Amino acid sequence: MSTPDFNLLVTLDVLLVEGSVARAAHRLRLSPSAMSRALARLRETTGDPLLVRAGRGLVPTPRALELRERVGRIVEEAQAVLRPAEALDLTRLVRTFTLRTSEGFAETFGPDLIARLGGEAPGVRLRFVQKPDKDSAPLRDGTVDLETGVVGETMGPELRAQALFRDRFVGVVRIGHPLCQGEITPARYVAGRHITVSRRGLDKGPIDEALDALGLERQIATIVGGFSTALALARASDLIACVPERHTGALRREMHSFPLPVPIPEITLSLLWHPRMDADPGHRWLRGCVRDACAAT
């Protein structure tokens, strides 16, 4: 059996990430015809078409989808093996890291994190981007370096996750709201008008399930997509918000927070990244900085 051309692994990795012969050729600085010939060799080597025409574009075959993550890891590991081993010099590191987090996380933990990075690595810049969903694609394709969130069933199975802290939900109202005084019973709680936070627009959640067990139902006045929006509305009205306590510490300043009158499961906020970044010295250093910032705040 002849030895396969391992250079094809790099070509295959770029083709599967880009999903386009033209974009893959541009990324590898090849002509489109050279990339087409490489794709033909890959098809012959793997015994699979890999990318097939669908309308005006190309879509991956099931075999290509199966190979995509494996090939990416192999290429990253090979590059790490061939890369000279150098100690990380933070004072000379010039790099922009992209973090996908909620606004509450950035406002609560961002100041300490940015201060530490500025002191240790002045050439490093953080780019915070919003998190509209739990799609793992940005971590896979490298447009996002790190993400924070609750690990769910939709998370890509290959992703790495490390718990940062546990958090509990609390009720939040404006200063001067009737719920600022006296015992907050389930009956008093449901008597007000509420804000529900749901990216998918759902009007029911764990709180409603707990209240339903008591034969109670709260009145939902509005549904929003994020905790910062919920708090902004509660600050300017008599609406009642429910948000994670530590996650929104900075956002809840000058507001009144109280324990919920029904038991709600805590959540665990985790740090997520793609395994190809495991051994990257700069990325590993940044992960430690995020963990420290969460532990200190």
Side-chain angles (χ1 to χ4, degrees), residues 189-190 194-196 207-208 211 216-220 242:
Y189 181 69
V190 300
H194 295 257
I195 306 167
T196 287
I207 296 177
D208 303 284
L211 290 169
L216 298 172
E217 182 178 3
R218 59 178 180 162
Q219 179 186 358
I220 304 300
C242 177

Side-chain angles (χ1 to χ4, degrees), residues 28 40 48 77 93 148 171 177 185 203 230 237 241 274:
L28 291 177
D48 188 272
E77 290 173 1
L93 181 63
T148 60
H177 190 283
T185 63
D203 61 354
S237 69
H274 195 276

